[in-house]
């Protein structure tokens, strides 16, 4: 017993010491406190309407812990607060699971659904089931070709082929000759379209490289190996912001001269654009995809409005270079760009 | 009803085995000795829990969704449970489902053959993978963990590489307009609505597999062989159990399950994504373990694996019905599984103590 008690006492002493040190050694810059101050400065979200409290469910094809989908969610949540909507979110990167999650929300009798159609065939039946049950469906991000066919109200997102073509043109303008397209989600049709679109408009040579997006060190090593084996690659295009950082590291390790460009945006990408470690970014404004989807469902319930006239509502591509990055950096830090 | 291998020593007390079979045991005592008892208690606990915290969990339509989620795992959990009773692992089971769907779809499409031709070719290919696993295991004497890990990685690569090579994209082309599709869809991916409950045909496949596997385990010689091989290879061999054949057969059983699951995947969505299925093998193993299979082999049941799959289905969908933050989804899932398994072990201990 005595030994246990001294153990507890020692633990208490250690805890006290750690607490004391953390209180005494304050940082006057950054950290949690700076974040709290910034949050207080921002406007407090409150409902701006007096419609009943509707429920909207969103089901995406995202994996766990994905930055991009975090931003989509923050847009959706912002709109949900404003429109007095209860917002539910679920995700799975397996088509079958994603369909089952949509099923669960239909069982819950939600008032509106937001889904992604990265795997359109897996989602076809449940979207039909939802519309049959009288639940309005809005598709976001991927599936512009299938959205109307499946009976969704509208599609909000970026046409992946158009986005890819914009990248191909931009690479050409920059005088690139041999590019690498890094796909981090095997089986994602949208990613394939991006690389195919870039290949289409790029007058140089373009190769695809598949990496395992859930394993960052592996992504870096794969790109590194590729850059080492093909010395003449002068542009690397990654399809997600977190992967741009890995590509930059890989380029340094491999001693390559390639320019790194990326789809999507985050704080690191904005900073890297300003530091010239990245060439350009192609943004599709994920915040807008979440925000507009929820807002559109509200508009549809409140006023029977539909946006887009049966055509996809495009949120991208927006080519972002060094000159836009400074303004966007502040917005990326608060997780809305 | 006892499921002990004949290879084991006669029951203590010096009674010859002939008498042991004639012993009358009371029904509650017999039930207490079943491997799946703990999981049934766990399933009831999980069901009550979600019935309380999630109001939409108890709706008829929700029950259909939960059953479907359970059946998709359950179809594979049954042969995986049998394999684990036989003392082996199969880490390639998850991607084998995808492989099976891919072979079926691409063969039909590329050869412009009737869908049923592709389905049968897929069965042969999938069984061949099972035979490969089994033969490698018996020939090399390497642990099944290593061999099937190799198969898992090879299949993952083949799925992607071959699909890309043959179809030009990472997913297969649609076969919905080909001959035989509707009849195959009826068999593998149809659904009926009974009183508001949407029952998918996979639920029937699942229950059928559970029934067949239970009959094999408890009523046939092959079942005794499985328990014997899992209990102790050398002892089993010494009493004349065909150890190698049993193991290869078990792996072929997993292939059969993968083929059924794979065809379901194909005919519900008519297009297959080549990168899917990775990680599901662990879910099948977990379902079998919750259902009372021991990791060491020689103990478990097919019914238990079904209950395990049902717990998994309830948990994964119950979390959605309860509107919990999906970021915590995996944590809750893990905690639920640990609790269910602990309960299982505790019940088993109590059951053995009362014997």
């Amino acid at each position: 017993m005595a030994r246990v008690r001294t153990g507890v006492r020692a633990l208490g002493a250690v805890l006290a010491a750690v607490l004391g040190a953390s209180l005494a050694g304050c940082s006057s810059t950054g950290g949690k406190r700076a974040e709290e101050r910034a949050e207080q400065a921002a406007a407090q979200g409150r409902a701006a309407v007096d419609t009943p409290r509707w429920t909207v469910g969103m089901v995406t094809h995202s994996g766990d812990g994905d930055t991009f989908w975090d931003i989509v969610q923050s847009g959706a949540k912002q709109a949900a607060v404003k429109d007095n909507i209860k917002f539910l979110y679920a995700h799975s990167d397996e088509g079958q699971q994603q369909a089952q999650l949509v099923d669960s929300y239909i069982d819950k009798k939600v008032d509106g659904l937001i889904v992604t159609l990265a795997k359109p065939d897996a989602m076809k039946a449940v979207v039909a089931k939802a519309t049959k049950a009288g639940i309005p469906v809005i598709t976001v991000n991927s599936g512009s070709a299938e959205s109307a066919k499946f009976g969704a109200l509208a599609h909000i997102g970026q046409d992946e082929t158009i986005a890819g073509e914009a990248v191909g043109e931009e690479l050409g303008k920059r005088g690139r000759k041999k590019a690498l397209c890094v796909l981090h989600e095997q089986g994602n049709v949208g990613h394939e379209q991006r690389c195919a679109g870039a290949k289409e408009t790029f007058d140089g040579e373009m190769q695809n490289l598949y990496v395992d997006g859930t394993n960052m060190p592996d992504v870096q090593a794969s790109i590194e190996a590729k850059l080492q084996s093909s010395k003449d690659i002068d542009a690397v295009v990654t399809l997600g912001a977190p992967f741009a950082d890995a590509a930059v590291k890989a380029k340094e390790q491999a001693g390559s001269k390639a320019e790194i460009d990326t789809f999507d945006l985050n704080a690191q990408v904005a900073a890297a654009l300003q530091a010239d470690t990245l060439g350009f970014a192609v943004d599709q404004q994920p915040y807008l995809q979440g925000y507009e989807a929820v807002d559109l469902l509200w508009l549809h319930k409140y006023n029977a409005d539909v946006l887009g006239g049966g055509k996809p509502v495009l949120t991208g591509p927006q080519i972002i270079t060094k000159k836009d990055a400074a303004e966007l950096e502040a917005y990326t830090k608060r997780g809305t760009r | 009803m006892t499921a002990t291998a004949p290879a084991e020593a006669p029951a203590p007390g010096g009674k010859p085995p002939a008498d042991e079979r004639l012993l009358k045991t009371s029904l509650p005592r017999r039930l207490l000795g079943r491997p799946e008892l703990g999981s049934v208690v766990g399933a009831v606990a999980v069901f009550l829990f979600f019935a309380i915290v999630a109001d939409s969990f108890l709706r008829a339509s929700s029950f259909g969704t939960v059953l479907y989620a359970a059946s998709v795992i359950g179809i594979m959990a049954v042969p995986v449970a049998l394999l684990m009773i036989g003392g082996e692992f199969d880490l390639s089971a998850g991607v084998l489902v995808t492989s099976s769907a891919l072979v079926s779809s691409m063969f039909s499409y590329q050869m412009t053959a009737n869908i049923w031709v592709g389905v049968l070719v897929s069965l042969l290919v999938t069984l061949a993978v099972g035979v490969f696993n089994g033969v490698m295991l018996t020939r090399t004497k390497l642990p099944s963990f290593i061999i099937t890990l190799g198969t898992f990685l090879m299949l993952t690569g083949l799925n992607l590489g071959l699909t890309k090579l043959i179809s030009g994209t990472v997913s297969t082309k649609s076969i919905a307009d080909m001959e035989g599709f509707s009849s195959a869809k009826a068999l593998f991916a149809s659904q009926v609505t009974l009183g508001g409950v949407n029952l998918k045909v996979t639920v029937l496949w699942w229950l059928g597999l559970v029934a067949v596997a239970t009959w094999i385990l408890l009523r046939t010689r092959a079942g005794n062989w499985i328990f014997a091989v899992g209990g102790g290879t050398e002892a089993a061999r010494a009493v004349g159990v065909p150890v190698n054949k049993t193991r290869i057969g078990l792996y072929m059983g997993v292939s059969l399950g993968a083929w059924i699951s794979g065809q379901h995947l194909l005919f519900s969505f008519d297009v297959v994504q080549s990168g899917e299925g990775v990680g599901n093998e662990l879910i099948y193993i977990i379902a079998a373990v919750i259902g009372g299979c021991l990791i060491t082999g020689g103990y478990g049941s097919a019914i238990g694996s079904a209950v395990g799959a049902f717990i998994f289905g309830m948990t994964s969908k119950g979390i959605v019905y309860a509107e919990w933050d999906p970021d915590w989804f995996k944590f809750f899932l893990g905690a639920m599984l640990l609790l269910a398994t602990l309960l299982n072990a505790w019940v088993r201990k109590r059951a053995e103590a009362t014997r």
Side-chain angles (χ1 to χ4, degrees):
Chain A
M1 239 4 246
R3 197 179 303 158
V4 171
R5 215 167 285 151
T6 47
V8 170
R9 232 177 258 156
L11 195 70
V14 169
L15 275 178
V18 169
L19 269 176
S22 64
L23 284 175
C26 274
S27 161
S28 57
T29 54
K32 180 82 184 159
R33 246 180 248 185
E35 195 183 319
E36 281 167 1
R37 271 199 293 272
E39 268 173 22
Q40 277 161 4
Q44 294 294 321
R46 276 186 309 273
V49 293
D50 53 4
T51 43
R53 193 155 176 78
W54 291 313
T55 306
V56 164
M58 182 171 189
V59 184
T60 70
H61 65 273
S62 132
D64 285 336
D66 186 308
T67 320
F68 179 92
W69 290 105
D70 231 30
I71 301 172
V72 175
Q73 266 192 84
S74 71
K77 280 175 181 158
Q78 184 84 44
V81 167
K82 186 176 65 73
D83 294 337
N84 191 25
I85 278 175
K86 184 174 174 190
F87 176 71
L88 304 172
Y89 179 79
H91 63 82
S92 172
D93 48 10
E94 294 238 341
Q96 197 174 31
Q97 290 289 327
Q98 202 195 339
Q100 282 179 14
L101 289 167
V102 176
D103 253 336
S104 314
Y105 280 151
I106 297 172
D107 298 338
K108 281 189 74 70
K109 298 191 167 64
V110 292
D111 299 294
L113 268 172
I114 304 166
V115 296
T116 62
L117 301 180
K119 290 156 187 177
D121 306 282
M123 303 298 288
K124 194 174 180 170
V126 280
V127 171
K129 186 175 160 184
T131 47
K132 212 173 118 188
I135 301 171
V137 180
I138 287 190
T139 58
V140 293
N141 182 264
S142 39
S144 52
E146 294 84 5
S147 175
K149 237 184 350 204
F150 287 5
L153 279 187
H155 177 82
I156 299 164
Q158 155 176 285
D159 184 302
E160 302 295 9
T161 310
I162 295 177
E165 285 167 353
V167 169
E169 277 164 20
E170 184 71 22
L171 286 172
K173 270 188 211 151
R174 290 165 175 259
R176 300 288 151 190
K177 294 282 171 284
K178 189 172 180 188
L180 185 68
C181 201
V182 183
L183 297 100
H184 61 263
E185 217 177 87
Q186 290 178 337
N188 186 325
V189 182
H191 287 185
E192 295 279 332
Q193 286 170 339
R194 283 180 186 179
C195 291
K199 207 180 204 136
E200 199 63 41
T201 53
F202 181 49
D203 33 27
E205 186 195 342
M206 186 123 196
Q207 291 181 340
N208 285 3
L209 175 72
Y210 289 92
V211 294
D212 176 8
T214 54
N215 182 350
M216 221 30 126
D218 178 67
V219 172
Q220 190 187 323
S222 302
I223 300 173
E224 210 174 295
K226 185 72 194 174
L227 289 176
Q228 280 163 343
S229 59
S230 317
K231 291 272 185 224
D232 54 347
I233 290 176
D234 57 7
V236 177
V237 180
T238 57
L239 300 189
F243 305 97
D245 199 34
V248 168
K249 288 197 179 83
K251 164 190 157 177
E252 283 162 9
Q253 292 286 330
S256 156
K257 292 276 181 290
E259 169 189 293
I260 313 289
D261 305 303
T262 184
F263 278 80
D264 301 343
L265 200 60
N266 65 9
Q268 283 85 352
V269 169
L273 282 170
Q274 291 180 75
D276 277 329
T277 41
L278 289 181
F280 64 91
V282 193
D283 192 33
Q284 57 169 313
Q285 308 182 77
Y287 183 84
L288 207 53
Q289 291 176 6
Y291 186 96
E292 284 299 325
V294 171
D295 215 25
L296 257 189
L297 281 171
W298 180 83
L299 279 167
H300 184 74
K301 298 279 298 180
Y302 171 73
N303 207 25
D305 285 330
V306 180
L307 200 64
K311 289 269 185 296
V313 181
L314 298 185
T315 60
Q318 198 187 22
I319 301 270
I320 292 166
T321 53
K322 191 175 177 173
K323 62 179 195 300
D324 324 300
E327 182 195 357
L328 294 185
E329 195 175 9
Y331 304 151
T332 53
K333 279 201 174 124
R334 66 179 189 197
T336 61
R337 275 307 293 261
Chain B
M1 269 306 283
T2 51
T4 46
E8 292 198 0
K15 288 198 187 87
D19 287 2
E20 191 214 20
R21 267 175 278 180
L22 296 173
L23 263 183
K24 288 271 187 294
T25 44
S26 64
L27 184 70
R29 173 145 303 188
R30 272 222 305 266
L31 283 178
L32 269 180
R34 300 291 313 147
E36 60 270 2
L37 177 78
S39 62
V40 170
V41 176
V44 171
V46 170
F47 183 86
L48 287 176
F49 175 75
F50 280 116
I52 293 162
V53 298
D55 49 357
S56 46
F57 184 74
L58 284 178
R59 285 187 195 144
S61 59
S62 309
F63 190 66
T65 308
V66 168
L67 263 187
Y68 173 55
S71 69
V72 171
I73 297 163
I75 286 176
M76 283 305 286
V78 171
V80 166
L82 256 56
L83 181 70
M84 284 179 72
I85 295 169
E88 303 297 342
F89 274 110
D90 189 352
L91 295 180
S92 64
V95 279
L96 188 56
V97 172
T98 312
S99 304
S100 174
L102 288 170
V103 170
S104 211
S105 156
M106 288 197 291
F107 189 88
S108 302
Y109 188 89
Q110 298 300 332
M111 301 286 160
T112 326
N114 186 301
I115 295 292
W116 285 100
V117 179
V119 169
L120 289 176
V121 168
S122 162
L123 176 62
L124 293 176
V125 171
T126 318
L127 284 176
V129 174
V131 171
F132 172 81
N133 275 337
V135 169
M136 284 293 284
L137 178 78
T138 51
R139 283 288 158 85
T140 59
K141 302 279 190 291
L142 287 171
S144 58
F145 189 91
I146 303 291
I147 286 169
T148 56
L149 193 61
T151 317
F152 155 71
L153 290 169
M154 287 193 291
L155 282 178
T156 312
L158 277 176
N159 283 354
L160 205 66
L162 282 178
T163 310
K164 186 90 186 184
L165 191 73
I166 295 170
S167 302
T169 60
V170 287
S171 58
T172 61
K173 297 190 165 66
S174 174
I175 53 165
D177 52 356
M178 293 179 70
E179 233 168 88
F181 184 86
S182 52
S183 56
K185 189 179 172 112
L187 181 64
F188 290 110
S190 57
Q191 52 184 28
V192 284
T193 311
L194 294 171
V197 180
N198 202 344
L199 269 187
K200 294 258 203 296
V201 74
T202 45
V203 177
L204 297 179
W205 277 102
W206 177 35
L207 297 178
L209 277 176
V210 172
V212 169
T214 306
W215 174 76
I216 289 177
L217 275 180
L218 302 181
R219 287 276 179 271
T220 68
R221 210 162 52 148
N224 276 337
W225 289 346
I226 294 170
F227 280 108
V229 170
T233 321
E234 290 318 310
R237 199 171 263 131
V239 294
V241 173
V243 174
N244 291 354
K245 260 193 208 158
T246 307
R247 280 182 175 159
I248 293 170
L250 285 171
Y251 275 106
M252 287 171 78
V254 174
S255 292
L256 186 72
W259 174 72
I260 296 168
S261 303
Q263 302 317 297
H264 167 69
L265 205 62
L266 170 62
F267 292 110
S268 27
F269 307 137
D270 78 54
V271 167
V272 192
Q273 299 283 347
S274 57
E276 292 193 343
V278 176
N280 289 351
E281 60 281 346
L282 292 177
I283 292 174
Y284 310 143
I285 290 171
I286 289 166
V289 170
I290 293 179
C293 288
L294 290 182
I295 291 270
T296 47
Y299 188 84
S301 80
I303 296 172
S305 80
V307 179
F310 189 56
I311 289 181
F312 207 94
M314 279 195 297
T315 310
S316 67
K317 296 295 163 280
I319 287 171
V320 179
Y321 292 124
E323 296 180 14
W324 290 346
D325 185 345
D327 292 349
W328 295 88
F329 175 82
K330 291 254 163 69
F331 174 82
F332 287 128
L333 211 55
M336 284 264 177
L337 297 177
L338 273 184
L339 280 173
T341 320
L342 277 173
L343 183 76
N344 212 340
W346 180 77
V347 171
R348 189 185 310 138
K349 217 178 249 144
R350 298 305 298 260
E352 277 165 6
T354 58
R355 257 192 219 164

